[in-house]
Amino acid sequence: MSTASSASPATLTMSGGAAIARMIRAFGGGPMFGMGGFQVLPLYEAARELGLPHHLIHDERNAVFVADAYAKVSGRVGLADATVGPGATNMLTALAEALNAGSPLVCVVGDTHRDHSWKNMTQESRQVDALRPMCKELIRVESIKRIPELMRRAFAVATTGRPGPVVVDVPEDLMHDTFDFSEADFVVNPAYEAAPALRSRPDGEAVARAADLLANAKQPIVLAGGGVHLSGAAQALTDFARATNIPVAHTLTGKGAIPCVDPLSAGLFGRYDRIANGLIEQSDVVLVVGCKLGEIATKRYTVPAPGKTVIHLDIVAEEFGRTLQPEVMLWGDVKLGLQDLMAALGERAAALKARLRPLAESVPARMAKWREEVSGRLYSEEKPISVARLITEINKVLPEDGILVADGGFAAHWAGLLFDTKRAGRGFVPDRGFASIGYGLPGAIGAALAAPGRPVFSLTGDSGFCMVLGDLETAARLNLDFTVIVVNNAASGYVKALQHLVYGAGKHISADLNEVNFAKVAQAFNCTGIRVEEPGELEGALRQAMATKGPVVIDVIVTRDPAKMLPGVDSRAAVIKKGDRIA
């Protein structure tokens, strides 16, 4: 890849693409996914020579989805690449997911030769203009000698503050040209290998005010979002909750902020909930932790109701006041902020814990009552299979260290409501940054690469799976161990269910699919395929999949009734029959 100059042993002559690859290696970069083209060939050749793990994938959107899931599970920087034009623009949807979810990514894209730009070069577009709003920062390389500097910046921006995707746009001529670099050019700060690279503490006076409010609260509650996981603060939050007896509710991305099986876990809040919305309604002080309080989490901005005292802890100051006006703003890292709150409470924490014992004891009692009320759905023997029964069996089979990836649409909502993490940490990986369907398969690939040895299940709908199933070939080629569970209702289920709710029975259009046997599709890709039509077969199929080497697809035939396709009342719907509720 590089040769030492005879004039100076410290000089390394290499292409721009080789310099990029060398910088990725310097940061300990993990697997990289992309689909090559002339503009990025030097990067690929350097990856080959350096032994960097690089894998062909069938769609650049999927490449970024893989990188996103890898980053969410590992905390390390996810890597993807694309060539000019359609390769670059195919990344847009997945970049938006990573940007909104706070996933640290570095994506290298090739661009046109600068001497010929704007002369209708093949595949030329204003890709920089298209990509810029979909990433945390877009870095355009205009000088080959600056590649190491700008790659250092890419990793630094990706891993600091709220993490996010950084796109490095490299013109063809700079990717192919050579330059005499020095060894010193490739020295990096290892702090930027993973997020959060840097941590900052909230203002001490604000922490003291927040501690006073919590110490005097009659019925406080914590609302935990995905920022808990970005900070690696799940154990810190769990310790805080147990030390104070303050219940914790979570968003879809915040699941696992404390174990779902913990007695203090109030479960999901917002559009769909078990008991959390009721607890929030009765609360007087709300501690929002690493949560943006978006539409779904707030049930279209109605939860919490006005009049609550709100303390908001977040690394992004711009989130303060966007949805609720906080009494106290704690601007800083979630993990450090929770530790500081605990320290500020001091001896008052024990008194608070004793005073809140009745509240704490009410949480598991309410949860048990909820489970009893919905047990008919959780353990349903109906055919086609109830999705609630499917999630119940996943809860039974997936071990404590297991990971459940959830595709967009109702897969994420069903799993967000009913799946139970058994320990603190990121055991649930939904694509709720942008909620695009098609995440299930590439998300499983990324999770399996990030956590080898941990069981990985992925829940996806048949419509979302059809978008990406070509990358079953990728999964088989890499011989990855994971299971994709296809919720097969022969429909774009969420759309069909919403049409049913809003317009009435039978009033749906462009929502039905042909019946597909995805077990046979999996077998055609040299993967294991299992088809399940009976609820009693679910547990055995899931256990068989976990014991099978290589990718497994379980095709589960679920209800075709649009009245039963959603896990509860969608807050946007005007009318819903009371009997259709599970939450």
Side-chain angles (χ1 to χ4, degrees):
M1 179 203 77
S2 60
T3 59
S5 166
S6 58
S8 172
T11 299
L12 300 170
T13 302
M14 66 182 74
S15 70
I20 292 170
R22 182 152 177 155
M23 288 301 294
I24 290 171
R25 184 179 70 171
F27 279 106
M32 193 170 190
F33 283 82
M35 183 179 290
F38 180 76
Q39 288 74 17
V40 293
L41 286 184
L43 171 62
Y44 279 52
E45 174 61 11
R48 184 190 67 80
E49 290 191 351
L50 287 173
L52 290 178
H54 189 288
H55 306 292
L56 170 65
I57 203 160
H58 295 287
D59 185 284
E60 293 84 356
R61 181 183 68 149
N62 288 354
V64 180
F65 276 154
V66 171
D68 176 84
Y70 176 88
K72 282 173 175 159
V73 172
S74 70
R76 299 183 62 81
V77 176
L79 300 166
D81 66 82
T83 192
V84 68
T89 58
N90 278 349
M91 288 181 154
L92 290 171
T93 296
L95 284 172
E97 166 63 33
L99 177 63
N100 292 343
S103 302
L105 309 185
V106 172
C107 300
V108 178
V109 300
D111 209 333
T112 51
H113 195 298
R114 291 177 300 166
D115 285 347
H116 308 300
S117 294
W118 312 123
K119 296 195 293 187
N120 293 321
M121 290 192 72
T122 302
Q123 298 185 314
E124 184 174 27
S125 69
R126 293 190 178 273
Q127 65 184 48
V128 167
D129 296 338
L131 292 165
R132 193 181 303 278
M134 298 300 178
C135 56
K136 186 177 179 184
E137 185 165 316
L138 187 141
I139 299 173
R140 165 81 171 184
V141 179
E142 295 287 0
S143 170
I144 188 172
K145 69 181 181 181
R146 295 189 66 193
I147 283 176
E149 169 206 343
L150 296 177
M151 288 295 292
R152 273 193 294 272
R153 175 164 179 82
F155 276 81
V157 172
T159 57
T160 53
R162 179 195 286 162
V166 177
V167 172
V168 182
D169 185 85
V170 188
E172 172 193 309
D173 49 309
L174 298 182
M175 188 76 80
H176 284 261
D177 283 353
T178 59
F179 182 77
D180 292 340
F181 295 95
S182 71
E183 287 284 0
D185 290 328
F186 300 100
V187 175
V188 303
N189 188 332
Y192 298 120
E193 292 180 3
L198 303 174
R199 296 183 187 269
S200 59
R201 293 188 180 278
D203 175 73
E205 291 184 4
V207 171
R209 292 200 306 275
D212 289 343
L213 289 171
L214 289 172
N216 294 305
K218 294 181 174 63
Q219 190 160 324
I221 191 167
V222 173
L223 305 185
V228 174
H229 296 306
L230 297 179
S231 174
Q235 191 59 53
L237 179 58
T238 301
D239 294 343
F240 178 85
R242 291 172 178 171
T244 59
N245 266 338
I246 301 177
V248 178
H250 61 77
T251 65
L252 286 162
T253 55
K255 182 180 284 290
I258 72 169
C260 292
V261 296
D262 192 284
L264 287 166
S265 174
L268 187 68
F269 72 94
R271 179 182 295 172
Y272 303 119
D273 82 309
R274 303 182 187 183
I275 64 171
N277 289 356
L279 282 168
I280 295 169
E281 184 178 350
Q282 296 167 8
S283 67
D284 58 338
V285 177
V286 179
L287 173 58
V288 180
V289 179
C291 177
K292 293 184 287 188
L293 295 170
E295 179 207 348
I296 291 176
T298 61
K299 199 173 182 181
R300 190 154 279 194
Y301 315 108
T302 62
V303 176
K308 309 292 183 186
T309 296
V310 176
I311 304 165
H312 196 165
L313 169 58
D314 205 284
I315 193 64
V316 182
E318 290 82 359
E319 297 302 341
F320 298 140
R322 191 194 296 271
T323 300
L324 294 173
Q325 292 299 325
E327 181 79 14
V328 180
M329 297 173 287
L330 301 178
W331 182 21
D333 177 72
V334 168
K335 184 176 181 179
L336 296 184
L338 288 169
Q339 291 172 352
D340 288 354
L341 266 178
M342 196 69 239
L345 281 169
E347 295 179 356
R348 293 178 294 175
L352 182 62
K353 180 176 183 178
R355 183 159 51 80
L356 296 182
R357 184 169 290 114
L359 171 63
E361 291 174 350
S362 76
V363 174
R366 294 185 195 208
M367 195 68 78
K369 183 174 183 293
W370 171 81
R371 289 188 184 280
E372 182 180 354
E373 289 173 351
V374 301
S375 61
R377 300 281 292 279
L378 296 177
Y379 303 100
S380 171
E381 292 290 338
E382 68 183 80
K383 289 179 54 183
I385 296 168
S386 164
V387 182
R389 173 65 184 272
L390 170 60
I391 306 296
T392 298
E393 298 300 328
I394 291 173
N395 280 331
K396 183 191 300 183
V397 171
L398 196 62
E400 182 180 285
D401 65 340
I403 297 170
L404 179 63
V405 178
D407 209 329
F410 71 75
H413 290 289
W414 276 103
L417 178 64
L418 300 179
F419 174 62
D420 287 326
T421 60
K422 300 177 178 68
R423 69 182 189 187
R426 182 99 76 172
F428 181 60
V429 185
D431 66 324
R432 298 309 302 177
F434 206 44
S436 166
I437 62 172
Y439 188 87
L441 174 58
I445 293 173
L449 287 166
R454 291 178 64 181
V456 175
F457 285 176
S458 179
L459 194 68
T460 185
D462 43 0
S463 183
F465 192 51
C466 283
M467 287 183 171
V468 298
L469 58 81
D471 276 307
L472 275 178
E473 185 279 328
T474 304
R477 179 174 10 109
L478 299 180
N479 197 30
L480 296 174
D481 295 331
F482 63 78
T483 300
V484 174
I485 303 163
V486 182
V487 180
N488 188 338
N489 55 18
S492 180
Y494 212 127
V495 173
K496 187 172 183 177
L498 288 175
Q499 289 176 340
H500 170 85
L501 291 173
V502 175
Y503 300 109
K507 295 182 178 180
H508 48 82
I509 184 173
S510 296
D512 290 315
L513 303 173
N514 276 341
E515 181 76 39
V516 177
N517 188 322
F518 290 103
K520 290 184 177 179
V521 171
Q523 292 161 10
F525 279 96
N526 295 317
C527 301
T528 301
I530 304 170
R531 191 169 172 90
V532 176
E533 300 183 29
E534 300 281 344
E537 298 172 351
L538 284 168
E539 181 180 353
L542 292 169
R543 295 193 184 281
Q544 177 187 342
M546 285 181 55
T548 301
K549 288 295 183 181
V552 179
V553 174
I554 302 180
D555 186 23
V556 182
I557 309 306
V558 300
T559 182
R560 266 62 173 163
D561 183 352
K564 297 179 179 180
M565 286 182 179
L566 296 184
V569 180
D570 190 299
S571 56
R572 300 167 297 177
V575 179
I576 185 169
K577 296 178 182 178
K578 187 176 181 181
D580 291 335
R581 292 196 54 162
I582 191 170

